[in-house]
Amino acid sequence: INQSFRQLDKQNGNQQFSVSTTNEVKAITVDKGGNVYVGPDTNKIEKYDNNGSLVWTFSSMNDNAIFLTYSQGHVYAITEVGAVRKVNANDGTEDWGFSTSNPKSIAVDNQQNVYVLGKSRIEKFDSTPTLVWRQSNNLDNNQDIDVTKKQEVIASVNDSDIARFDKDGNFVTVIRNEGKRVRTLDVL
């Protein structure tokens, strides 16, 4: 199966580049400079520059990346078997990695704290990564997570609700979405 990914200019929609691969792309993210980070089904992460040229390959993974996000010079990955990895975006070296149970999504705040959304919990790790808090009260079938500039956590939980937690992981409120699924969040 041949697959490709394309980068489009956000002003006019014109294609900037296209990269074809024989591997299934499981995860993808882009940084502000237009560099693309791809998690193909080959147990690695690849960085392509804004012209579509391969810059580096991080291949020290035991399984496929299923979620990638970029923040402050690092790529954060979640793998199929529950590993969370922090990779330096400049040279593709791993800063750290750890395992957790059933991670689904990840968010990073402006102090490089990492928030991991699992099937039935939210965990906050500091930048080292040491567990700061875990929230698992009334959470199930979670989909996505984001964090505000004030380190408040916004999560799509229980399939259709949006929950907010303060910076210490305390529940603040929930917005019931009347059964409509919430898949992705983007907090401004």
Side-chain angles (χ1 to χ4, degrees):
I1 298 173
N2 284 330
Q3 292 194 353
S4 65
F5 59 92
R6 295 172 174 82
Q7 185 172 49
L8 306 177
D9 184 290
K10 68 178 170 181
Q11 300 298 323
N12 58 27
N14 292 336
Q15 180 175 301
Q16 292 180 309
F17 69 81
S18 176
V19 174
S20 293
T21 177
T22 57
N23 303 306
E24 181 181 358
V25 175
K26 300 275 193 174
I28 193 166
T29 192
V30 181
D31 67 24
K32 290 181 181 181
N35 300 300
V36 179
Y37 304 86
V38 178
D41 64 352
T42 55
N43 299 345
K44 56 185 157 186
I45 299 170
E46 298 169 337
K47 176 183 179 177
Y48 293 86
D49 66 18
N50 57 12
N51 294 312
S53 299
L54 181 64
V55 177
W56 53 253
T57 299
F58 173 72
S59 57
S60 298
M61 297 191 353
N62 296 327
D63 60 336
N64 299 323
I66 58 169
F67 187 90
L68 294 174
T69 193
Y70 174 88
S71 179
Q72 300 177 43
H74 294 89
V75 179
Y76 297 82
I78 292 176
T79 68
E80 289 175 331
V81 297
V84 177
R85 307 274 184 131
K86 179 181 180 182
V87 177
N88 185 303
N90 292 322
D91 60 13
T93 58
E94 182 176 51
D95 289 352
W96 50 251
F98 64 91
S99 293
T100 188
S101 178
N102 297 316
K104 295 189 87 174
S105 185
I106 192 169
V108 183
D109 68 20
N110 55 9
Q111 295 180 9
Q112 293 190 12
N113 295 307
V114 177
Y115 302 80
V116 178
L117 182 71
K119 181 179 179 202
S120 58
R121 77 195 177 305
I122 299 170
E123 297 169 317
K124 177 182 178 180
F125 297 88
D126 66 18
S127 62
T128 62
T130 300
L131 181 66
V132 176
W133 54 258
R134 177 180 289 125
Q135 173 60 266
S136 58
N137 189 27
N138 296 319
L139 299 175
D140 194 28
N141 203 20
N142 303 322
Q143 298 297 324
D144 199 12
I145 189 168
D146 208 344
V147 61
T148 69
K149 291 179 182 176
K150 296 179 181 178
Q151 296 179 338
E152 295 174 313
V153 176
I154 309 296
S156 165
V157 300
N158 303 329
D159 225 9
S160 61
D161 299 335
I162 300 172
R164 190 174 94 202
F165 301 86
D166 68 17
K167 67 178 185 165
D168 297 316
N170 300 308
F171 174 77
V172 175
T173 190
V174 66
I175 299 169
R176 303 279 180 213
N177 203 23
E178 300 177 19
K180 297 176 183 166
R181 293 190 96 168
V182 178
R183 293 271 184 199
T184 59
L185 295 171
D186 193 11
V187 177
L188 302 177

